[in-house]
Amino acid sequence: MDKVVEIKNLSYTYPDGTPALNGVSLDAMEGESIGIIGPNGAGKSTLLLHLNGILQSKNGAIKVLGMPLTNRNLRKIRSKVCLVFQDPEDQLFMPTVFDDVAFGLINLGYHAQAVRGKVGEILERVDLSGRENRSAHHLSFGEKKLVSLATVLVMEPEILLLDEPTSNLDRKEKRGIIKFLQEIDKTKIIVSHDLEMIEQLCQRVVVMNRGKVVFTGDKEILKDDSRLKSFGL
Amino acid sequence: MKHAFLDKYSDLGSIIHRVDPRVKVIFFFVLILVIVSTPPQELLKFSGYFLMLLILLLLSRIPLLYVFARSLVIIPFVLLTAIFIPFFKGGEVAGSYNFLTLNLTISYKGILIFQNILIKSWLSVLSLTILTSTTKFSSLLKALETLKVPRVIILIASFFYRYIFLLIDQIMKIKNARDSRSFKKNPVYQFKIIGYMIGELFIRTYERAERIYLAMVSRGFSGTIHTLESFKINRFDLYFLGSLITIIFFIRLWR
């Protein structure tokens, strides 16, 4: 298996001086699902923002799909590495569901016919056919989460970065999302507090605390409550 | 939280709803120009325009009361700006009043202009109300975009429509949080709180804008938003546009 993400000794401090990452190293293999857990403020989301180059740090090196993450490679990397934000209201900004899902495809330069076909297909997969012309505002929260996923999956990314995919969902909606994510065989890096979901989706778990990776290993750790507590969880 | 939507009846699917949005935009734009250019004393012509709007309204099956209530929203603003006109116009005096030390005179010409502003603004708003209640907001934006309205304006309207309800939600939440632990009824203190609330709202909006931008960049945004055009003009649209424009010009130019 190939390494699709290589992070070496990454450190990052926010412009206001808040330290967020402190010497993080992490590899991800092709097709693997990694769950990143840790207390609030541990730097989990900041790490995700580095993986498609939204945040760029001078300290440390990131390689994605064999390419070093530099401004030259940025466009290419962003078409292969897709990030789903936690709040669907941020992810869905266009007037209709169709426009939102089509947004990335059009930017990638697909033709109108192909865009229509792909959007229809992905909406069918998330069971939201017929909502194309709705405004995101008229959808339920669970539907918004699904459409958010659809907006990036339609771009057929190699690596999927998910920030809290199940937050604020009821049990049924959560099951729907987990089932849907299980069917996707791409590399997934999932940041969450939802240990139940991480256990169902991921083979490998990374625990972060205060900007550092404090544990990497099998998901068995999720059952060891005292160890999780020692990591600040 | 639930809101009444801007384009509440835009899903009805009547004849008027099905007309191509671009055709509707062009028609109502021409109609408003014609209304505004009609001389003030020709009340019969204004009745003609009104009759026409009424027929369109009946065809669209939107509740009459809803549209009329909506269209009246503009009246207070018009009154506020136009109420002084009758007092300032010269010409034949219709009446004069002594109010304390003021001597107020109203002229016939002034009344005519006042009435003119009132009628024209109401008919124009009525037209726009019919347009917006028979067209989905997103289609309306797309129609304006294909009619070469500057992109920036379309984008502002588009983001506005997407996020206005969210903003209202946030205001309601902050207000609820304030009300659940605010006991002082001192108005000065209340003003101070409102100031903080506005500041808080500004920061939240600013941060949301930042996150939205990141979400856009993550999906390959590079400066301009492109959307797919999905309209097809059919024969009925052309008949609709042709016949209605003929009728309004007929009314306008009739002697």
Side-chain angles (χ1 to χ4, degrees):
Chain A
M1 273 202 286
D2 296 332
K3 279 184 190 172
V4 286
V5 177
E6 289 172 68
I7 306 170
K8 278 209 187 83
N9 214 3
L10 182 74
S11 296
Y12 183 75
T13 306
Y14 275 103
D16 65 357
T18 321
L21 297 176
N22 187 1
V24 171
S25 296
L26 184 68
D27 292 341
M29 301 295 172
E30 195 182 339
E32 184 185 35
S33 292
I34 299 180
I36 302 182
I37 59 175
N40 281 329
K44 309 181 298 286
S45 299
T46 311
L47 182 64
L48 276 196
L49 290 175
H50 275 89
L51 293 180
N52 72 346
I54 285 178
L55 294 179
Q56 292 184 26
S57 171
K58 287 182 191 74
N59 304 312
I62 303 178
K63 257 189 173 178
V64 179
L65 300 165
M67 295 176 275
L69 213 157
T70 57
N71 279 330
R72 263 210 13 244
N73 292 332
L74 215 51
R75 261 191 90 79
K76 200 155 179 219
I77 285 178
R78 279 186 186 153
S79 69
K80 300 280 173 207
V81 183
C82 285
L83 172 59
V84 184
F85 286 77
Q86 177 178 355
D87 186 351
E89 308 286 6
D90 299 337
Q91 186 81 26
L92 307 173
F93 44 79
M94 296 293 280
T96 65
V97 168
F98 178 89
D99 287 330
D100 255 318
V101 181
F103 184 85
L105 288 178
I106 296 172
N107 286 335
L108 287 180
Y110 280 91
H111 285 293
Q113 206 57 42
V115 171
R116 287 208 181 85
K118 277 171 179 289
V119 172
E121 206 176 291
I122 197 85
L123 285 177
E124 200 158 309
R125 265 179 72 194
V126 293
D127 232 357
L128 288 173
S129 298
R131 310 286 169 92
E132 285 89 345
N133 290 321
R134 291 262 199 122
S135 162
H137 184 69
H138 295 221
L139 300 176
S140 76
F141 190 80
E143 289 171 332
K144 281 182 203 170
K145 279 280 206 190
L146 279 172
V147 176
S148 297
L149 266 177
T151 60
V152 305
L153 281 176
V154 77
M155 296 165 74
E156 291 170 4
E158 302 281 327
I159 302 168
L160 200 55
L161 310 173
L162 304 164
D163 195 352
E164 293 284 4
T166 54
S167 64
N168 289 331
L169 294 179
D170 66 33
R171 277 185 65 82
K172 187 172 159 241
E173 290 166 336
K174 194 169 124 177
R175 257 187 318 225
I177 290 258
I178 292 177
K179 186 171 162 285
F180 182 58
L181 287 174
Q182 274 167 342
E183 288 165 8
I184 298 161
D185 52 1
K186 308 287 181 198
T187 309
K188 290 179 286 251
I189 300 181
I190 306 173
V191 160
S192 184
H193 291 301
D194 184 350
L195 304 186
E196 196 189 333
M197 179 262 298
I198 298 268
E199 195 181 353
Q200 290 182 51
L201 282 176
C202 304
Q203 296 94 45
R204 199 147 68 93
V205 172
V206 173
V207 185
M208 288 183 72
N209 194 11
R210 296 189 189 166
K212 283 184 178 156
V213 171
V214 288
F215 173 87
T216 314
D218 195 82
K219 66 177 170 189
E220 288 303 309
I221 176 90
L222 297 174
K223 294 190 183 110
D224 194 342
D225 208 40
S226 57
R227 275 196 83 190
L228 287 180
K229 271 184 188 152
S230 73
F231 294 137
L233 268 164
Chain B
M1 282 175 234
K2 277 277 163 218
H3 309 284
F5 299 113
L6 293 178
D7 44 3
K8 200 161 133 192
Y9 290 102
S10 59
D11 276 327
L12 283 183
S14 72
I15 308 178
I16 310 296
H17 285 79
R18 277 186 309 233
V19 173
D20 188 296
R22 288 170 296 180
V23 166
K24 277 188 273 188
V25 170
I26 294 173
F27 165 67
F28 281 106
F29 183 68
V30 173
L31 177 62
I32 288 173
L33 282 185
V34 169
I35 289 174
V36 170
S37 73
T38 305
Q41 61 277 18
E42 312 233 24
L43 288 180
L44 208 59
K45 289 187 178 176
F46 289 121
S47 323
Y49 304 137
F50 176 70
L51 201 65
M52 185 170 172
L53 288 173
L54 195 65
I55 291 170
L56 287 180
L57 200 52
L58 289 173
L59 284 176
S60 72
R61 300 205 309 259
I62 300 169
L64 288 182
L65 210 63
Y66 166 81
V67 172
F68 285 123
R70 269 260 158 128
S71 66
L72 286 178
V73 169
I74 194 74
I75 296 300
F77 296 100
V78 177
L79 277 182
L80 210 65
T81 46
I83 192 74
F84 300 107
I85 291 174
F87 299 100
F88 289 119
K89 268 287 164 194
E92 201 184 334
V93 174
S96 103
Y97 310 92
N98 283 310
F99 180 73
L100 299 176
T101 56
L102 280 171
N103 181 22
L104 302 172
T105 51
I106 296 179
S107 66
Y108 282 114
K109 211 172 162 195
I111 291 178
L112 188 66
I113 292 176
F114 176 64
Q115 165 202 317
N116 180 43
I117 292 175
L118 213 57
I119 291 175
K120 283 180 181 174
S121 53
W122 183 64
L123 284 178
S124 307
V125 172
L126 191 60
S127 311
L128 285 182
T129 314
I130 297 175
L131 173 63
T132 49
S133 2
T134 57
T135 319
K136 276 185 166 255
F137 197 79
S138 51
S139 311
L140 197 62
L141 287 179
K142 243 172 219 169
L144 292 172
E145 195 179 338
T146 45
L147 293 170
K148 302 287 174 236
V149 171
R151 266 235 160 81
V152 180
I153 294 176
I154 306 277
L155 276 186
I156 292 174
S158 149
F159 281 114
F160 178 79
Y161 179 69
R162 174 67 186 85
Y163 288 105
I164 181 72
F165 299 111
L166 218 63
L167 200 67
I168 295 173
D169 268 358
Q170 263 175 353
I171 295 174
M172 298 304 281
K173 278 181 199 155
I174 296 180
K175 206 177 149 296
N176 286 346
R178 179 198 67 177
D179 291 345
S180 26
R181 58 206 155 112
S182 146
F183 311 106
K184 278 192 204 170
K185 285 281 166 275
N186 178 355
V188 176
Y189 178 71
Q190 289 293 340
F191 274 128
K192 208 169 142 190
I193 299 288
I194 289 174
Y196 288 141
M197 282 165 67
I198 292 172
E200 173 69 24
L201 206 62
F202 175 76
I203 293 172
R204 286 192 197 185
T205 313
Y206 184 84
E207 284 179 345
R208 181 177 295 285
E210 197 91 328
R211 290 196 305 271
I212 294 166
Y213 177 71
L214 294 181
M216 292 170 79
V217 168
S218 300
R219 282 191 269 155
F221 176 70
S222 56
T224 40
I225 288 187
H226 304 280
T227 52
L228 294 189
E229 200 192 306
S230 50
F231 301 135
K232 274 198 201 92
I233 285 197
N234 58 30
R235 195 169 291 195
F236 175 76
D237 294 324
L238 294 179
Y239 287 149
F240 177 90
L241 187 64
S243 52
L244 288 187
I245 289 205
T246 315
I247 296 173
I248 51 180
F249 275 101
F250 181 75
I251 299 176
R252 170 70 180 84
L253 300 172
W254 176 264
R255 284 183 181 277

